Amino acid sequence: DSGVTQTPKHLITATGQRVTLRCSPRSGDLSVYWYQQSLDQGLQFLIQYYNGEERAKGNILERFSAQQFPDLHSELNLSSLELGDSALYFCASSFDNEQFFGPGTRLTVL
Amino acid sequence: EDQVTQSPEALRLQEGESSSLNCSYTVSGLRGLFWYRQDPGKGPEFLFTLYSAGEEKEKERLKATLTKKESFLHITAPKPEDSATYLCAVQARNNDMRFGAGTRLTVKP
């Protein structure tokens, strides 16, 4: 158990819908990272927040957005969902460079 | 563009048969190179961070090394429980993280 929690574990929705994924980092970790993992793309870095501020941006689509709240938990919002957005979404947290990953949210878009 | 290439894609070993996994990278300003282990359906598990060429780190049967262009993950006398996908990632100066596709390791008893 990494200490990072993600909810929900599974999410099934329809194209065009909007969903919110939630991540609680390990106690004391200020950074939160979001990743998307699909079979054909591998693990893709989406975005990093540090103590509430956006620090780095990867391959995040404009339909996706994230934020980190004062209690350091983070949410990833995915809108106008497409079939290709079906994937595992991981959150990771870190105090320095060592990232600890959560168990992931499996998103299925039908 | 930052890029990470891992080889081989898959590796099958007999228990006790040592081998190495390769991670070749190009990055604009390396902040760190990371190795992770991932079991099916689970999140990656951190193994090592390497920061500069010549650096080496060890943990149980695993040893990671780094040069200016590549990193190796050496597995000595592997056991079946070492079976997993091993991921390499680089973090660039702008904090962008780039992962390789992974090496799927199977260790047979």
Side-chain angles (χ1 to χ4, degrees):
Chain A
D1 185 355
S2 66
V4 178
T5 60
Q6 289 187 247
T7 56
K9 285 187 178 178
H10 301 278
L11 198 48
I12 300 175
T13 188
T15 55
Q17 295 298 305
R18 172 190 168 95
V19 297
T20 298
L21 313 183
R22 183 187 168 101
C23 169
S24 292
R26 293 186 322 154
S27 177
D29 287 355
L30 298 179
S31 278
V32 169
Y33 307 75
W34 285 99
Y35 294 88
Q36 178 193 60
Q37 188 172 40
S38 57
L39 284 174
D40 56 344
Q41 294 280 338
L43 199 60
Q44 301 283 319
F45 168 65
L46 298 178
I47 197 163
Q48 178 200 358
Y49 278 83
Y50 178 84
N51 203 20
E53 300 287 328
E54 183 183 305
R55 174 162 278 194
K57 215 165 186 175
N59 299 322
I60 188 165
L61 300 172
E62 284 191 15
R63 300 183 286 109
F64 296 179
S65 65
Q67 54 184 326
Q68 187 179 27
F69 295 86
D71 67 352
L72 301 178
H73 91 271
S74 178
E75 292 181 356
L76 179 67
N77 300 295
L78 315 176
S79 61
S80 302
L81 285 167
E82 302 175 359
L83 295 177
D85 297 327
S86 295
L88 260 173
Y89 289 84
F90 288 107
C91 160
S93 75
S94 73
F95 178 75
D96 46 26
N97 272 335
E98 186 174 324
Q99 292 184 31
F100 293 85
F101 282 73
T105 293
R106 182 172 294 281
L107 173 66
T108 302
V109 182
L110 300 175
Chain B
E1 183 181 308
D2 300 340
Q3 198 165 357
V4 179
T5 304
Q6 291 188 246
S7 61
E9 286 185 18
L11 181 62
R12 298 169 76 92
L13 300 173
Q14 286 297 127
E15 184 172 2
E17 180 187 1
S18 301
S19 189
S20 296
L21 313 183
N22 177 263
C23 172
S24 297
Y25 67 92
T26 55
V27 64
S28 51
L30 181 70
R31 287 198 66 190
L33 184 140
F34 306 86
W35 282 98
Y36 291 88
R37 168 198 170 120
Q38 186 174 26
D39 293 302
K42 297 194 173 181
E45 175 190 338
F46 173 81
L47 295 174
F48 303 108
T49 307
L50 301 168
Y51 294 101
S52 57
E55 191 174 357
E56 298 183 355
K57 287 193 176 171
E58 281 187 76
K59 179 179 176 180
E60 296 179 357
R61 295 178 292 282
L62 300 177
K63 178 180 175 180
T65 62
L66 180 65
T67 72
K68 287 187 177 179
K69 293 183 179 180
E70 58 190 351
S71 177
F72 291 94
L73 184 66
H74 307 278
I75 303 178
T76 302
K79 298 181 178 181
E81 53 262 42
D82 295 322
S83 297
T85 295
Y86 290 84
L87 299 170
C88 170
V90 295
Q91 186 175 35
R93 196 181 296 119
N94 64 357
N95 290 315
D96 186 23
M97 292 284 294
R98 199 62 59 104
F99 278 78
T103 292
R104 192 171 62 254
L105 174 66
T106 304
V107 182
K108 298 208 155 198

